[in-house]
Amino acid sequence: MWDYPDTEDAIMPTVQVRKFRDIGPVIKAVRESHAVRQEDLAERLAFSRDYLIDLEKGKGSLYITRLFRTLNELGITVTLTYEAQDGKASNVDT
């Protein structure tokens, strides 16, 4: 489904996500590893920089909170795997 060029040799960090606020640091680390400013990413995604800031801080909405409560209750785990732009594993504190 997703086509990632040259990912065979790339280091693909993996992060277990138990709550929405675990995702924010990953978004920020990957954005920074791609040397993309918040303003530029928000513009590409057609939403405000303030919304992106909230995402990176892990501020969830009611719906996101309910989603993660449901996932946890059912024993469903979420794992994020991403390619660091520089090919090195980034330190992402969750």
Coordinates of all heavy atoms in Angstrom, one line a residue:
M1 N 0.8 -1.2 0.0 CA 0.0 0.0 0.0 C 0.9 1.3 0.0 O 0.7 2.1 -0.8 CB -0.9 0.0 1.2 CG -1.8 1.2 1.3 SD -3.3 1.1 2.2 CE -2.8 1.5 3.8
W2 N 1.8 1.4 0.9 CA 2.6 2.5 1.0 C 3.9 2.2 0.3 O 4.5 1.1 0.5 CB 3.0 2.9 2.4 CG 1.7 3.3 3.2 CD1 1.0 2.6 4.1 CD2 1.1 4.6 3.2 NE1 0.0 3.2 4.6 CE2 0.0 4.5 4.0 CE3 1.3 5.8 2.5 CZ2 -0.9 5.5 4.2 CZ3 0.4 6.8 2.7 CH2 -0.7 6.7 3.5
D3 N 4.4 3.1 -0.5 CA 5.7 2.9 -1.2 C 6.8 3.8 -0.6 O 6.7 5.0 -0.8 CB 5.5 3.2 -2.7 CG 6.7 2.9 -3.5 OD1 7.5 2.0 -3.1 OD2 6.9 3.6 -4.5
Y4 N 7.7 3.1 0.1 CA 8.8 3.9 0.7 C 10.1 3.5 -0.1 O 10.5 2.4 -0.1 CB 9.0 3.5 2.1 CG 7.9 4.0 3.0 CD1 7.0 3.1 3.5 CD2 7.8 5.3 3.4 CE1 5.9 3.5 4.3 CE2 6.7 5.8 4.2 CZ 5.8 4.8 4.7 OH 4.8 5.3 5.5
P5 N 10.7 4.5 -0.8 CA 11.9 4.1 -1.6 C 13.0 3.9 -0.7 O 13.2 4.5 0.4 CB 12.1 5.4 -2.4 CG 11.4 6.5 -1.7 CD 10.2 5.8 -1.0
D6 N 13.8 2.9 -1.0 CA 15.0 2.5 -0.3 C 14.9 2.3 1.1 O 15.7 2.6 2.0 CB 16.1 3.6 -0.5 CG 16.4 3.9 -2.0 OD1 16.6 2.9 -2.7 OD2 16.4 5.1 -2.4
T7 N 13.8 1.6 1.5 CA 13.5 1.4 3.0 C 14.2 0.1 3.4 O 14.2 -0.2 4.6 CB 12.0 1.4 3.3 OG1 11.4 0.4 2.5 CG2 11.4 2.7 3.2
E8 N 14.6 -0.7 2.5 CA 15.3 -2.0 2.9 C 16.5 -1.8 3.8 O 16.7 -2.5 4.8 CB 15.7 -2.8 1.7 CG 14.7 -3.8 1.3 CD 15.2 -4.6 0.1 OE1 16.4 -5.1 0.1 OE2 14.4 -4.8 -0.8
D9 N 17.3 -0.8 3.4 CA 18.5 -0.5 4.2 C 18.3 0.6 5.2 O 19.2 0.9 6.0 CB 19.6 -0.1 3.3 CG 20.0 -1.2 2.3 OD1 19.9 -2.4 2.7 OD2 20.3 -1.0 1.1
A10 N 17.2 1.3 5.2 CA 17.0 2.4 6.1 C 16.6 1.9 7.5 O 16.1 0.8 7.7 CB 15.8 3.2 5.6
I11 N 17.0 2.6 8.5 CA 16.7 2.3 9.9 C 15.2 2.8 10.1 O 14.9 4.0 9.8 CB 17.6 3.0 10.9 CG1 19.0 2.4 10.7 CG2 17.1 2.8 12.3 CD1 20.1 3.2 11.5
M12 N 14.4 1.9 10.6 CA 13.0 2.3 10.7 C 12.6 2.2 12.2 O 12.4 1.1 12.8 CB 12.1 1.3 10.0 CG 12.3 1.2 8.5 SD 11.8 2.7 7.6 CE 10.1 2.5 7.6
P13 N 12.7 3.3 12.9 CA 12.4 3.3 14.3 C 10.9 2.9 14.5 O 10.1 3.2 13.7 CB 12.6 4.8 14.8 CG 13.5 5.4 13.7 CD 13.2 4.6 12.4
T14 N 10.7 2.3 15.6 CA 9.3 1.8 16.0 C 9.0 2.3 17.4 O 9.8 2.2 18.3 CB 9.2 0.3 15.9 OG1 9.6 -0.1 14.6 CG2 7.8 -0.2 16.2
V15 N 7.8 2.9 17.5 CA 7.3 3.4 18.8 C 6.0 2.8 19.2 O 5.1 2.8 18.3 CB 7.2 4.9 18.8 CG1 6.7 5.5 20.1 CG2 8.5 5.6 18.4
Q16 N 5.9 2.2 20.4 CA 4.6 1.7 20.8 C 3.8 2.9 21.3 O 4.3 3.8 22.0 CB 4.7 0.7 22.0 CG 5.2 -0.6 21.6 CD 4.1 -1.4 20.9 OE1 3.8 -1.3 19.8 NE2 3.5 -2.2 21.7
V17 N 2.5 3.0 20.9 CA 1.6 4.1 21.3 C 0.5 3.5 22.2 O -0.2 2.7 21.8 CB 1.0 4.8 20.1 CG1 0.1 5.9 20.5 CG2 2.2 5.3 19.2
R18 N 0.4 4.0 23.4 CA -0.6 3.6 24.3 C -1.7 4.7 24.5 O -2.8 4.4 25.0 CB 0.0 3.2 25.7 CG 0.9 2.0 25.5 CD 1.3 1.5 26.9 NE 2.4 0.5 26.8 CZ 2.2 -0.7 26.5 NH1 1.0 -1.2 26.2 NH2 3.2 -1.5 26.4
K19 N -1.3 5.9 24.3 CA -2.2 7.0 24.4 C -1.9 8.1 23.3 O -0.8 8.1 22.8 CB -2.2 7.6 25.8 CG -0.8 8.0 26.3 CD -0.8 8.3 27.8 CE 0.6 8.5 28.3 NZ 1.4 7.3 28.5
F20 N -2.8 8.9 23.1 CA -2.6 9.9 22.0 C -1.4 10.7 22.2 O -0.6 11.0 21.2 CB -3.9 10.7 21.8 CG -3.7 11.8 20.7 CD1 -3.6 11.4 19.4 CD2 -3.5 13.1 21.0 CE1 -3.4 12.3 18.4 CE2 -3.3 14.0 20.0 CZ -3.3 13.6 18.7
R21 N -1.1 11.2 23.4 CA 0.0 12.1 23.6 C 1.4 11.4 23.3 O 2.4 12.1 23.2 CB -0.1 12.7 25.0 CG 0.1 11.8 26.1 CD 0.1 12.6 27.4 NE -0.3 11.7 28.5 CZ -1.4 11.7 29.1 NH1 -2.3 12.6 28.8 NH2 -1.7 10.9 30.0
D22 N 1.4 10.1 23.1 CA 2.6 9.4 22.7 C 2.9 9.7 21.2 O 4.1 9.6 20.8 CB 2.5 7.9 22.8 CG 2.4 7.5 24.3 OD1 2.7 8.2 25.2 OD2 2.0 6.3 24.5
I23 N 1.9 10.1 20.4 CA 2.1 10.4 19.0 C 2.8 11.7 18.8 O 3.6 11.8 17.8 CB 0.8 10.3 18.3 CG1 0.2 8.9 18.4 CG2 0.9 10.7 16.8 CD1 -1.2 8.7 17.8
G24 N 2.5 12.7 19.6 CA 3.1 14.1 19.4 C 4.6 14.1 19.2 O 5.1 14.7 18.2
P25 N 5.3 13.5 20.1 CA 6.8 13.6 20.0 C 7.3 12.9 18.7 O 8.3 13.3 18.1 CB 7.3 12.8 21.2 CG 6.2 13.0 22.2 CD 4.9 13.0 21.4
V26 N 6.6 11.9 18.2 CA 7.0 11.2 17.0 C 6.7 12.2 15.8 O 7.6 12.3 14.9 CB 6.2 9.9 16.8 CG1 6.5 9.3 15.4 CG2 6.5 8.9 17.9
I27 N 5.6 12.8 15.8 CA 5.3 13.8 14.7 C 6.4 14.9 14.7 O 6.9 15.2 13.6 CB 3.9 14.4 14.9 CG1 2.8 13.4 14.7 CG2 3.7 15.6 13.9 CD1 1.4 13.8 15.1
K28 N 6.7 15.4 15.8 CA 7.7 16.4 15.9 C 9.1 16.0 15.5 O 9.8 16.6 14.7 CB 7.8 17.0 17.3 CG 8.8 18.1 17.5 CD 8.7 18.7 18.8 CE 9.7 19.9 18.9 NZ 9.7 20.5 20.3
A29 N 9.5 14.8 16.0 CA 10.8 14.3 15.6 C 11.0 14.0 14.1 O 12.0 14.3 13.5 CB 11.1 13.0 16.4
V30 N 9.9 13.4 13.5 CA 10.0 13.1 12.1 C 10.0 14.4 11.3 O 10.7 14.6 10.3 CB 8.8 12.1 11.7 CG1 8.8 12.0 10.2 CG2 9.0 10.8 12.4
R31 N 9.1 15.3 11.7 CA 9.1 16.6 11.0 C 10.4 17.3 11.0 O 10.9 17.8 10.0 CB 8.0 17.6 11.6 CG 8.0 18.9 11.0 CD 7.0 19.9 11.7 NE 7.3 20.1 13.1 CZ 8.2 20.8 13.6 NH1 9.1 21.5 12.8 NH2 8.4 20.9 14.9
E32 N 11.0 17.3 12.2 CA 12.4 17.9 12.4 C 13.4 17.2 11.6 O 14.3 17.8 11.0 CB 12.7 18.0 13.8 CG 11.9 19.1 14.6 CD 12.2 19.2 16.1 OE1 12.8 18.2 16.6 OE2 11.8 20.2 16.7
S33 N 13.3 15.8 11.5 CA 14.3 15.1 10.8 C 14.2 15.3 9.3 O 15.2 15.1 8.6 CB 14.2 13.6 11.1 OG 13.1 13.0 10.4
H34 N 13.1 15.8 8.8 CA 12.9 16.1 7.4 C 13.2 17.6 7.2 O 13.0 18.1 6.1 CB 11.4 15.8 7.0 CG 11.2 14.4 6.9 ND1 11.3 13.7 5.7 CD2 10.8 13.4 7.8 CE1 11.0 12.4 5.8 NE2 10.7 12.2 7.1
A35 N 13.6 18.3 8.3 CA 13.9 19.7 8.2 C 12.7 20.5 7.7 O 12.9 21.4 6.9 CB 15.2 20.0 7.4
V36 N 11.5 20.2 8.2 CA 10.3 20.9 7.8 C 9.9 21.8 8.9 O 9.7 21.3 10.1 CB 9.2 19.9 7.4 CG1 7.9 20.6 7.1 CG2 9.7 19.1 6.2
R37 N 9.6 23.0 8.7 CA 9.1 23.9 9.7 C 7.6 23.7 9.9 O 6.9 23.2 9.0 CB 9.3 25.4 9.2 CG 10.7 25.8 9.1 CD 10.8 27.3 8.5 NE 9.7 27.8 7.8 CZ 9.1 29.0 8.0 NH1 9.6 29.8 8.9 NH2 8.1 29.3 7.3
Q38 N 7.2 24.0 11.1 CA 5.7 23.8 11.5 C 4.9 24.6 10.5 O 3.8 24.0 10.1 CB 5.5 24.3 12.9 CG 5.9 23.4 14.0 CD 5.7 23.9 15.4 OE1 5.7 25.2 15.6 NE2 5.6 23.1 16.3
E39 N 5.2 25.8 10.2 CA 4.4 26.6 9.3 C 4.2 26.0 8.0 O 3.2 26.0 7.4 CB 5.0 28.0 9.2 CG 5.1 28.8 10.4 CD 6.3 28.6 11.3 OE1 7.1 27.6 11.0 OE2 6.6 29.4 12.2
D40 N 5.3 25.4 7.5 CA 5.3 24.8 6.1 C 4.5 23.5 6.1 O 3.7 23.3 5.2 CB 6.7 24.5 5.6 CG 7.6 25.8 5.5 OD1 7.0 26.9 5.2 OD2 8.8 25.7 5.6
L41 N 4.6 22.7 7.1 CA 3.8 21.5 7.2 C 2.4 21.8 7.3 O 1.5 21.2 6.6 CB 4.3 20.6 8.3 CG 3.6 19.2 8.5 CD1 3.7 18.4 7.2 CD2 4.1 18.5 9.7
A42 N 2.0 22.7 8.2 CA 0.6 23.1 8.4 C 0.0 23.6 7.1 O -1.1 23.3 6.8 CB 0.5 24.1 9.5
E43 N 0.8 24.4 6.4 CA 0.3 25.0 5.1 C 0.0 23.8 4.1 O -1.0 23.8 3.5 CB 1.3 26.0 4.6 CG 0.8 26.6 3.3 CD 1.7 27.7 2.8 OE1 2.3 28.4 3.6 OE2 1.9 27.7 1.6
R44 N 1.0 22.9 4.0 CA 0.8 21.7 3.1 C -0.4 20.9 3.5 O -1.1 20.3 2.6 CB 2.1 20.8 3.2 CG 3.2 21.3 2.3 CD 4.2 20.2 2.1 NE 5.2 20.4 3.1 CZ 6.1 19.5 3.3 NH1 6.2 18.4 2.6 NH2 7.1 19.7 4.2
L45 N -0.7 20.8 4.8 CA -1.8 20.0 5.2 C -3.1 20.8 5.3 O -4.2 20.2 5.7 CB -1.5 19.4 6.6 CG -0.3 18.4 6.6 CD1 0.1 18.1 8.0 CD2 -0.6 17.2 5.8
A46 N -3.1 22.1 5.0 CA -4.2 22.9 5.0 C -4.9 23.1 6.4 O -6.1 23.0 6.5 CB -5.2 22.5 4.0
F47 N -4.1 23.2 7.4 CA -4.6 23.6 8.7 C -3.6 24.5 9.4 O -2.5 24.8 8.9 CB -5.0 22.4 9.6 CG -4.0 21.3 9.8 CD1 -2.8 21.5 10.5 CD2 -4.2 20.0 9.3 CE1 -1.9 20.5 10.8 CE2 -3.3 19.0 9.5 CZ -2.1 19.3 10.2
S48 N -4.1 25.0 10.5 CA -3.3 26.1 11.2 C -2.1 25.5 11.9 O -2.0 24.4 12.3 CB -4.1 26.8 12.2 OG -4.4 26.0 13.3
R49 N -1.1 26.4 12.0 CA 0.1 26.0 12.8 C -0.2 25.7 14.2 O 0.3 24.8 14.8 CB 1.1 27.2 12.8 CG 2.4 26.8 13.5 CD 3.5 27.9 13.4 NE 4.6 27.5 14.2 CZ 5.0 28.3 15.3 NH1 4.4 29.4 15.5 NH2 6.0 27.9 16.0
D50 N -1.2 26.4 14.8 CA -1.7 26.2 16.2 C -2.2 24.7 16.3 O -1.9 24.1 17.3 CB -2.7 27.1 16.6 CG -2.2 28.5 16.8 OD1 -1.0 28.7 17.0 OD2 -3.0 29.5 16.8
Y51 N -2.9 24.2 15.3 CA -3.4 22.8 15.4 C -2.2 21.9 15.4 O -2.2 20.9 16.1 CB -4.3 22.6 14.2 CG -4.9 21.2 14.2 CD1 -5.9 20.8 15.1 CD2 -4.3 20.2 13.4 CE1 -6.4 19.5 15.1 CE2 -4.8 18.9 13.4 CZ -5.8 18.6 14.3 OH -6.3 17.3 14.4
L52 N -1.2 22.1 14.5 CA 0.0 21.3 14.5 C 0.8 21.3 15.8 O 1.2 20.3 16.3 CB 0.9 21.7 13.3 CG 2.2 20.9 13.1 CD1 1.8 19.4 12.9 CD2 3.0 21.4 12.0
I53 N 0.9 22.5 16.4 CA 1.5 22.6 17.7 C 0.8 21.7 18.7 O 1.4 21.0 19.5 CB 1.5 24.1 18.2 CG1 2.5 24.9 17.3 CG2 1.8 24.2 19.7 CD1 2.5 26.4 17.5
D54 N -0.6 21.8 18.7 CA -1.4 21.0 19.6 C -1.1 19.5 19.4 O -1.0 18.7 20.3 CB -2.9 21.3 19.5 CG -3.2 22.6 20.1 OD1 -2.4 23.2 20.9 OD2 -4.4 23.1 19.9
L55 N -1.0 19.1 18.1 CA -0.7 17.7 17.8 C 0.6 17.3 18.4 O 0.8 16.2 19.0 CB -0.7 17.5 16.3 CG -2.0 17.3 15.5 CD1 -1.7 17.2 14.0 CD2 -2.8 16.2 16.0
E56 N 1.6 18.1 18.1 CA 3.0 17.8 18.6 C 3.0 17.8 20.2 O 3.9 17.0 20.7 CB 4.0 18.8 18.1 CG 4.2 18.6 16.6 CD 5.3 19.4 16.0 OE1 5.9 20.3 16.7 OE2 5.6 19.3 14.8
K57 N 2.2 18.5 20.8 CA 2.1 18.5 22.3 C 1.3 17.3 22.8 O 1.2 17.1 24.0 CB 1.6 19.8 22.8 CG 2.5 20.9 22.7 CD 1.9 22.2 23.3 CE 2.9 23.4 23.2 NZ 2.3 24.6 23.7
G58 N 0.6 16.6 21.9 CA -0.2 15.5 22.2 C -1.6 15.9 22.8 O -2.2 15.1 23.5
K59 N -2.0 17.0 22.4 CA -3.4 17.4 22.8 C -4.4 16.8 21.9 O -4.5 17.0 20.7 CB -3.6 19.0 22.7 CG -2.9 19.7 23.8 CD -3.2 21.2 23.7 CE -2.6 22.0 24.8 NZ -3.0 23.4 24.7
G60 N -5.2 15.9 22.5 CA -6.2 15.2 21.8 C -7.5 15.8 21.9 O -7.8 16.6 22.7
S61 N -8.4 15.4 21.0 CA -9.8 15.8 21.0 C -10.6 14.7 21.7 O -10.1 13.6 22.1 CB -10.3 15.9 19.6 OG -10.4 14.7 19.0
L62 N -11.8 15.0 22.0 CA -12.7 14.0 22.6 C -12.7 12.7 21.8 O -12.7 11.6 22.4 CB -14.1 14.6 22.8 CG -15.2 13.7 23.4 CD1 -14.8 13.3 24.8 CD2 -16.5 14.4 23.3
Y63 N -12.8 12.8 20.5 CA -12.9 11.6 19.7 C -11.6 10.8 19.7 O -11.7 9.6 19.8 CB -13.2 12.0 18.2 CG -14.6 12.7 18.1 CD1 -14.7 14.0 17.9 CD2 -15.7 11.9 18.3 CE1 -16.0 14.6 17.8 CE2 -17.0 12.5 18.3 CZ -17.1 13.9 18.0 OH -18.3 14.4 18.0
I64 N -10.5 11.5 19.7 CA -9.2 10.8 19.8 C -9.1 10.1 21.1 O -8.6 8.9 21.2 CB -8.0 11.7 19.6 CG1 -8.0 12.3 18.1 CG2 -6.7 11.1 19.9 CD1 -7.7 11.2 17.1
T65 N -9.5 10.8 22.2 CA -9.4 10.2 23.5 C -10.3 8.9 23.6 O -9.9 7.9 24.1 CB -9.8 11.2 24.6 OG1 -9.0 12.3 24.5 CG2 -9.8 10.6 26.0
R66 N -11.5 9.0 23.1 CA -12.4 7.9 23.1 C -11.8 6.7 22.2 O -12.0 5.6 22.6 CB -13.8 8.3 22.5 CG -14.5 9.1 23.5 CD -15.9 9.5 23.0 NE -16.6 10.3 23.9 CZ -17.8 10.9 23.7 NH1 -18.3 10.8 22.4 NH2 -18.4 11.5 24.6
L67 N -11.2 7.1 21.1 CA -10.6 6.0 20.3 C -9.5 5.3 21.0 O -9.6 4.0 21.0 CB -10.0 6.7 19.0 CG -9.1 5.7 18.2 CD1 -9.9 4.6 17.6 CD2 -8.4 6.5 17.1
F68 N -8.6 6.0 21.7 CA -7.6 5.3 22.4 C -8.1 4.5 23.6 O -7.6 3.5 24.0 CB -6.4 6.3 22.8 CG -5.4 6.4 21.7 CD1 -5.6 7.3 20.7 CD2 -4.3 5.5 21.6 CE1 -4.7 7.4 19.6 CE2 -3.4 5.6 20.6 CZ -3.6 6.5 19.6
R69 N -9.1 5.0 24.3 CA -9.8 4.3 25.4 C -10.3 3.0 24.9 O -10.2 1.9 25.5 CB -10.9 5.1 26.1 CG -10.3 6.2 27.0 CD -11.4 7.0 27.6 NE -12.3 6.2 28.4 CZ -13.5 6.6 28.7 NH1 -13.9 7.9 28.4 NH2 -14.4 5.9 29.4
T70 N -11.0 3.0 23.7 CA -11.5 1.8 23.1 C -10.4 0.8 22.7 O -10.5 -0.4 23.0 CB -12.4 2.2 21.8 OG1 -13.4 3.1 22.2 CG2 -13.0 1.0 21.2
L71 N -9.4 1.3 22.1 CA -8.3 0.5 21.7 C -7.7 -0.2 22.9 O -7.4 -1.4 22.9 CB -7.2 1.3 21.0 CG -7.6 1.9 19.6 CD1 -6.5 2.7 19.1 CD2 -8.0 0.8 18.6
N72 N -7.4 0.6 24.0 CA -6.8 0.0 25.2 C -7.8 -1.0 25.8 O -7.3 -2.1 26.3 CB -6.5 1.1 26.2 CG -5.3 1.9 25.7 OD1 -4.5 1.5 25.0 ND2 -5.3 3.2 26.1
E73 N -9.0 -0.7 25.9 CA -10.0 -1.7 26.5 C -10.0 -3.0 25.8 O -10.2 -4.1 26.4 CB -11.4 -1.0 26.5 CG -12.4 -1.9 27.2 CD -12.2 -2.0 28.7 OE1 -11.6 -1.2 29.3 OE2 -12.7 -3.0 29.2
L74 N -9.9 -3.0 24.4 CA -9.9 -4.2 23.6 C -8.6 -4.8 23.5 O -8.4 -5.9 22.8 CB -10.5 -3.9 22.2 CG -12.0 -3.4 22.2 CD1 -12.4 -2.9 20.9 CD2 -12.9 -4.5 22.7
G75 N -7.5 -4.2 24.1 CA -6.2 -4.8 24.0 C -5.5 -4.6 22.7 O -4.6 -5.4 22.3
I76 N -6.0 -3.6 21.9 CA -5.4 -3.3 20.6 C -4.2 -2.4 20.8 O -4.3 -1.3 21.5 CB -6.4 -2.7 19.7 CG1 -7.6 -3.6 19.5 CG2 -5.8 -2.2 18.4 CD1 -8.8 -3.0 18.8
T77 N -3.1 -2.7 20.3 CA -1.9 -1.8 20.4 C -1.6 -1.1 19.0 O -2.0 -1.7 18.0 CB -0.6 -2.6 20.8 OG1 -0.4 -3.6 19.9 CG2 -0.8 -3.2 22.2
V78 N -1.1 0.0 19.1 CA -0.8 0.8 17.9 C 0.8 1.0 17.9 O 1.3 1.3 19.0 CB -1.4 2.2 18.0 CG1 -1.0 3.1 16.8 CG2 -3.0 2.1 18.0
T79 N 1.4 0.7 16.8 CA 2.8 0.9 16.7 C 3.1 1.8 15.5 O 2.5 1.6 14.4 CB 3.5 -0.5 16.4 OG1 3.2 -1.4 17.5 CG2 5.0 -0.3 16.3
L80 N 3.9 2.8 15.7 CA 4.3 3.7 14.7 C 5.7 3.4 14.2 O 6.6 3.2 15.0 CB 4.3 5.2 15.2 CG 3.0 5.7 15.7 CD1 3.2 7.2 16.2 CD2 1.9 5.7 14.7
T81 N 5.8 3.2 12.9 CA 7.1 2.9 12.3 C 7.3 4.0 11.3 O 6.4 4.3 10.5 CB 7.1 1.5 11.6 OG1 6.8 0.5 12.6 CG2 8.5 1.2 11.1
Y82 N 8.5 4.6 11.3 CA 8.7 5.7 10.4 C 10.1 5.7 9.9 O 11.0 5.1 10.6 CB 8.4 7.1 11.0 CG 9.2 7.3 12.3 CD1 10.3 8.1 12.2 CD2 8.7 6.8 13.5 CE1 11.1 8.3 13.4 CE2 9.5 7.1 14.7 CZ 10.6 7.8 14.6 OH 11.4 8.1 15.7
E83 N 10.4 6.3 8.8 CA 11.7 6.4 8.3 C 12.3 7.8 8.7 O 11.8 8.8 8.3 CB 11.7 6.3 6.8 CG 13.1 6.3 6.2 CD 13.0 6.2 4.6 OE1 11.9 6.0 4.1 OE2 14.1 6.3 4.0
A84 N 13.4 7.7 9.4 CA 14.1 9.0 9.7 C 14.8 9.5 8.4 O 15.3 8.7 7.6 CB 15.2 8.7 10.7
Q85 N 14.7 10.7 8.1 CA 15.2 11.3 6.9 C 16.7 11.1 6.7 O 17.1 10.8 5.6 CB 14.9 12.8 6.9 CG 15.3 13.5 5.6 CD 14.4 13.1 4.4 OE1 13.4 12.6 4.5 NE2 14.9 13.5 3.2
D86 N 17.4 11.1 7.8 CA 18.9 11.0 7.7 C 19.3 9.5 7.7 O 20.5 9.2 7.7 CB 19.6 11.8 8.8 CG 19.1 11.4 10.2 OD1 18.4 10.4 10.3 OD2 19.5 12.1 11.1
G87 N 18.3 8.6 7.8 CA 18.7 7.2 7.9 C 19.1 6.7 9.2 O 19.5 5.5 9.4
K88 N 19.1 7.6 10.2 CA 19.5 7.2 11.6 C 18.3 7.2 12.5 O 17.4 8.0 12.3 CB 20.5 8.2 12.1 CG 21.8 8.3 11.3 CD 22.7 9.3 11.9 CE 23.9 9.5 11.0 NZ 24.7 10.6 11.4
A89 N 18.3 6.4 13.5 CA 17.2 6.3 14.4 C 17.2 7.6 15.2 O 18.2 8.1 15.7 CB 17.3 5.1 15.3
S90 N 16.0 8.2 15.3 CA 15.9 9.4 16.2 C 15.5 9.0 17.6 O 14.8 8.0 17.8 CB 14.8 10.4 15.6 OG 15.2 10.7 14.3
N91 N 15.9 9.8 18.5 CA 15.4 9.6 19.9 C 14.1 10.3 20.0 O 14.0 11.5 19.9 CB 16.4 10.2 20.9 CG 17.7 9.4 21.0 OD1 17.6 8.2 20.7 ND2 18.7 10.0 21.3
V92 N 13.1 9.5 20.3 CA 11.7 10.0 20.5 C 11.3 9.6 21.9 O 11.2 8.5 22.2 CB 10.7 9.5 19.4 CG1 9.3 10.0 19.7 CG2 11.2 9.8 18.0
D93 N 11.1 10.6 22.7 CA 10.7 10.3 24.1 C 9.2 10.3 24.1 O 8.5 11.2 23.8 CB 11.2 11.4 25.1 CG 12.7 11.5 25.1 OD1 13.3 10.4 25.0 OD2 13.2 12.6 25.1
T94 N 8.6 9.1 24.5 CA 7.2 9.0 24.7 C 6.8 8.6 26.1 O 7.6 8.1 26.8 CB 6.6 7.9 23.7 OG1 7.2 6.7 24.0 CG2 6.8 8.3 22.3

